[in-house]
Amino acid sequence: MKQLSLYAPPFPASSRRWFGVDLLPEPRPGELREGMFNWSVPFLSCLACSVLFVAMLLLYFIPLRYLVLIWGVNKFTKKLRNPYTIDNNEILNFLKRVPTDVQKVQYSALRAPTSQIPPRRKK
């Protein structure tokens, strides 16, 4: 069970909760990954497929133990190389760009239906 705090910031700390009230429903587990591969946003889906293809080629030509070694050295020496960087998660940022099912329905409701607008006649 979630524990609600009595302190509420004057401005929303995130776009999902404000004063303890959910502004947007939380996406269900797997919904963002599902939306990424059903081509609802073609650019993001194409980018994800190309990243998977490059990862497949990389794993084919370079052994996994070397990739894990490079990743570990990078992870543990990142603060030594540049101590003032701000940590970010590129995968999470990528998944946040994929719209949820609720957002797609809201966007389709906002668009004007083009089939009901009669074409204008030239005189």
Side-chain angles (χ1 to χ4, degrees), residues 41-76:
V41 181
F43 172 73
L44 295 178
S45 299
C46 185
L47 184 66
C49 288
S50 60
V51 165
L52 285 176
F53 181 73
V54 169
M56 178 201 59
L57 286 177
L58 195 68
L59 284 172
Y60 182 76
F61 289 114
I62 301 175
L64 183 63
R65 72 173 75 183
Y66 293 139
L67 293 175
V68 170
L69 180 70
I70 292 169
W71 173 78
V73 167
N74 180 36
K75 180 172 178 60
F76 292 113

Coordinates of all heavy atoms in Angstrom, one line a residue, residues 41-76:
V41 N 4.6 5.0 -33.2 CA 5.4 6.2 -33.5 C 6.5 5.6 -34.4 O 7.5 4.9 -33.9 CB 6.1 6.8 -32.2 CG1 6.9 7.9 -32.6 CG2 5.0 7.2 -31.2
P42 N 6.4 5.7 -35.7 CA 7.3 5.0 -36.6 C 8.8 5.3 -36.4 O 9.6 4.4 -36.5 CB 6.8 5.5 -38.0 CG 5.4 5.9 -37.8 CD 5.4 6.5 -36.4
F43 N 9.1 6.6 -36.1 CA 10.5 6.9 -35.9 C 11.1 6.2 -34.7 O 12.2 5.6 -34.8 CB 10.7 8.4 -35.7 CG 12.1 8.8 -35.3 CD1 13.1 8.8 -36.3 CD2 12.4 9.2 -34.0 CE1 14.4 9.1 -35.9 CE2 13.7 9.5 -33.7 CZ 14.7 9.5 -34.6
L44 N 10.4 6.1 -33.6 CA 10.9 5.4 -32.4 C 11.0 3.9 -32.7 O 12.0 3.2 -32.2 CB 10.1 5.7 -31.2 CG 10.1 7.2 -30.7 CD1 9.1 7.3 -29.6 CD2 11.5 7.6 -30.4
S45 N 10.0 3.3 -33.4 CA 10.1 1.9 -33.7 C 11.2 1.6 -34.6 O 11.9 0.6 -34.5 CB 8.7 1.5 -34.4 OG 7.7 1.7 -33.5
C46 N 11.5 2.4 -35.6 CA 12.6 2.2 -36.6 C 13.9 2.3 -35.8 O 14.8 1.5 -36.0 CB 12.5 3.2 -37.7 SG 13.7 2.9 -39.0
L47 N 14.0 3.3 -34.9 CA 15.2 3.4 -34.1 C 15.5 2.2 -33.2 O 16.6 1.7 -33.1 CB 15.1 4.7 -33.3 CG 16.3 5.1 -32.5 CD1 17.5 5.5 -33.4 CD2 16.0 6.3 -31.6
A48 N 14.4 1.7 -32.6 CA 14.5 0.5 -31.7 C 15.0 -0.7 -32.5 O 15.8 -1.5 -32.1 CB 13.2 0.3 -31.0
C49 N 14.4 -0.9 -33.7 CA 14.8 -2.0 -34.5 C 16.2 -1.9 -35.0 O 16.9 -2.9 -35.1 CB 13.8 -2.1 -35.7 SG 12.2 -2.7 -35.3
S50 N 16.6 -0.7 -35.4 CA 18.0 -0.5 -35.8 C 19.0 -0.8 -34.7 O 20.1 -1.3 -34.9 CB 18.2 0.8 -36.5 OG 17.9 1.8 -35.6
V51 N 18.6 -0.3 -33.5 CA 19.5 -0.5 -32.3 C 19.6 -2.0 -32.0 O 20.7 -2.6 -31.7 CB 19.0 0.2 -31.1 CG1 19.6 -0.2 -29.8 CG2 19.3 1.7 -31.3
L52 N 18.5 -2.8 -32.1 CA 18.5 -4.2 -31.9 C 19.4 -4.9 -33.0 O 20.1 -5.9 -32.7 CB 17.1 -4.8 -31.9 CG 16.3 -4.5 -30.6 CD1 14.9 -5.1 -30.8 CD2 17.0 -5.1 -29.4
F53 N 19.3 -4.4 -34.2 CA 20.1 -5.0 -35.3 C 21.6 -4.8 -35.0 O 22.4 -5.7 -35.2 CB 19.7 -4.4 -36.6 CG 20.4 -5.0 -37.8 CD1 20.2 -6.3 -38.2 CD2 21.4 -4.2 -38.4 CE1 20.9 -6.8 -39.3 CE2 22.1 -4.8 -39.5 CZ 21.9 -6.1 -39.9
V54 N 22.0 -3.6 -34.6 CA 23.4 -3.3 -34.3 C 23.8 -4.1 -33.1 O 25.0 -4.6 -33.1 CB 23.6 -1.7 -34.1 CG1 24.9 -1.4 -33.5 CG2 23.3 -1.0 -35.4
A55 N 23.0 -4.2 -32.1 CA 23.4 -5.1 -31.0 C 23.6 -6.5 -31.4 O 24.5 -7.2 -30.9 CB 22.3 -4.9 -29.9
M56 N 22.7 -7.0 -32.3 CA 22.9 -8.4 -32.8 C 24.2 -8.5 -33.5 O 25.0 -9.5 -33.3 CB 21.8 -8.8 -33.7 CG 21.9 -10.1 -34.3 SD 21.0 -10.4 -35.8 CE 21.7 -9.3 -36.9
L57 N 24.6 -7.6 -34.3 CA 25.9 -7.6 -35.0 C 27.0 -7.5 -34.1 O 28.0 -8.2 -34.2 CB 26.0 -6.5 -36.1 CG 25.1 -6.7 -37.3 CD1 25.3 -5.5 -38.2 CD2 25.5 -8.0 -38.1
L58 N 26.9 -6.7 -33.1 CA 28.0 -6.5 -32.1 C 28.2 -7.8 -31.3 O 29.3 -8.2 -31.1 CB 27.6 -5.3 -31.2 CG 28.7 -4.8 -30.3 CD1 29.7 -4.1 -31.2 CD2 28.1 -3.8 -29.3
L59 N 27.1 -8.4 -30.9 CA 27.2 -9.7 -30.2 C 27.7 -10.8 -31.0 O 28.3 -11.8 -30.5 CB 25.9 -10.1 -29.5 CG 25.5 -9.3 -28.3 CD1 24.0 -9.6 -27.9 CD2 26.4 -9.6 -27.2
Y60 N 27.5 -10.7 -32.3 CA 28.0 -11.8 -33.2 C 29.5 -11.7 -33.4 O 30.2 -12.7 -33.4 CB 27.3 -11.7 -34.6 CG 27.8 -12.7 -35.5 CD1 27.3 -14.0 -35.4 CD2 28.6 -12.5 -36.6 CE1 27.7 -15.0 -36.3 CE2 29.0 -13.4 -37.5 CZ 28.5 -14.7 -37.3 OH 29.0 -15.7 -38.2
F61 N 30.1 -10.5 -33.5 CA 31.5 -10.3 -33.8 C 32.3 -10.2 -32.5 O 33.5 -10.5 -32.6 CB 31.7 -9.1 -34.7 CG 31.2 -9.4 -36.1 CD1 30.1 -8.6 -36.6 CD2 31.8 -10.3 -36.9 CE1 29.7 -8.9 -37.9 CE2 31.4 -10.5 -38.2 CZ 30.3 -9.8 -38.7
I62 N 31.8 -9.7 -31.4 CA 32.6 -9.4 -30.2 C 32.0 -10.3 -29.1 O 30.8 -10.3 -28.9 CB 32.5 -7.9 -29.8 CG1 33.1 -7.1 -30.9 CG2 33.3 -7.7 -28.5 CD1 32.9 -5.6 -30.6
P63 N 32.9 -11.1 -28.5 CA 32.4 -12.0 -27.4 C 31.7 -11.2 -26.3 O 32.1 -10.1 -26.0 CB 33.7 -12.7 -26.9 CG 34.6 -12.6 -28.0 CD 34.3 -11.3 -28.7
L64 N 30.8 -11.9 -25.6 CA 30.0 -11.2 -24.6 C 30.8 -10.8 -23.4 O 30.6 -9.8 -22.8 CB 28.8 -12.1 -24.1 CG 27.9 -11.6 -23.1 CD1 27.2 -10.4 -23.6 CD2 26.9 -12.6 -22.7
R65 N 31.8 -11.6 -23.1 CA 32.7 -11.3 -21.9 C 33.4 -10.0 -22.1 O 33.6 -9.3 -21.2 CB 33.6 -12.5 -21.6 CG 34.8 -12.6 -22.6 CD 35.8 -13.6 -22.1 NE 35.2 -15.0 -22.3 CZ 35.8 -16.1 -22.0 NH1 37.0 -16.0 -21.4 NH2 35.3 -17.2 -22.2
Y66 N 33.9 -9.7 -23.3 CA 34.5 -8.4 -23.6 C 33.6 -7.3 -23.5 O 33.9 -6.2 -23.0 CB 35.2 -8.4 -25.0 CG 36.3 -9.4 -25.1 CD1 36.5 -10.2 -26.2 CD2 37.3 -9.6 -24.0 CE1 37.6 -11.1 -26.3 CE2 38.3 -10.5 -24.1 CZ 38.4 -11.2 -25.3 OH 39.5 -12.1 -25.4
L67 N 32.3 -7.5 -23.9 CA 31.3 -6.4 -23.8 C 31.0 -6.1 -22.4 O 30.9 -4.9 -22.0 CB 30.1 -6.7 -24.6 CG 30.3 -6.8 -26.1 CD1 29.0 -7.3 -26.8 CD2 30.7 -5.5 -26.7
V68 N 30.9 -7.2 -21.6 CA 30.6 -7.0 -20.1 C 31.8 -6.3 -19.5 O 31.6 -5.4 -18.6 CB 30.3 -8.3 -19.5 CG1 30.2 -8.2 -18.0 CG2 28.9 -8.8 -20.0
L69 N 33.0 -6.7 -19.8 CA 34.2 -6.0 -19.3 C 34.2 -4.6 -19.6 O 34.5 -3.7 -18.7 CB 35.4 -6.8 -19.8 CG 36.8 -6.2 -19.3 CD1 36.9 -6.5 -17.8 CD2 37.9 -6.8 -20.1
I70 N 34.0 -4.2 -20.9 CA 34.0 -2.8 -21.3 C 32.9 -2.0 -20.5 O 33.1 -0.9 -20.1 CB 33.8 -2.7 -22.8 CG1 35.1 -3.2 -23.5 CG2 33.6 -1.3 -23.2 CD1 34.9 -3.4 -25.0
W71 N 31.7 -2.6 -20.4 CA 30.6 -2.0 -19.7 C 30.9 -1.7 -18.3 O 30.7 -0.6 -17.7 CB 29.3 -2.8 -19.9 CG 28.2 -2.3 -19.0 CD1 27.4 -1.2 -19.3 CD2 27.8 -2.8 -17.8 NE1 26.5 -1.0 -18.3 CE2 26.7 -2.0 -17.3 CE3 28.2 -3.8 -17.0 CZ2 26.1 -2.2 -16.1 CZ3 27.5 -4.1 -15.8 CH2 26.5 -3.2 -15.4
G72 N 31.5 -2.7 -17.6 CA 31.9 -2.6 -16.2 C 32.9 -1.5 -15.9 O 32.8 -0.7 -15.0
V73 N 34.0 -1.5 -16.8 CA 35.0 -0.5 -16.7 C 34.4 0.9 -16.9 O 34.7 1.9 -16.1 CB 36.2 -0.8 -17.6 CG1 37.1 0.4 -17.7 CG2 36.9 -2.0 -17.2
N74 N 33.6 1.0 -17.9 CA 32.9 2.3 -18.1 C 32.1 2.8 -17.0 O 32.1 3.9 -16.5 CB 32.1 2.2 -19.4 CG 31.4 3.5 -19.7 OD1 32.0 4.6 -19.5 ND2 30.2 3.5 -20.2
K75 N 31.3 1.8 -16.4 CA 30.4 2.2 -15.3 C 31.1 2.6 -14.0 O 30.7 3.6 -13.4 CB 29.5 1.0 -15.0 CG 28.5 1.2 -13.8 CD 27.6 0.1 -13.7 CE 26.6 0.2 -12.6 NZ 25.8 1.4 -12.7
F76 N 32.2 1.9 -13.7 CA 32.9 2.2 -12.4 C 33.9 3.3 -12.6 O 34.4 3.8 -11.5 CB 33.5 0.9 -11.9 CG 32.4 0.0 -11.4 CD1 32.2 -1.2 -12.0 CD2 31.6 0.3 -10.3 CE1 31.2 -2.1 -11.6 CE2 30.6 -0.5 -9.9 CZ 30.4 -1.8 -10.6

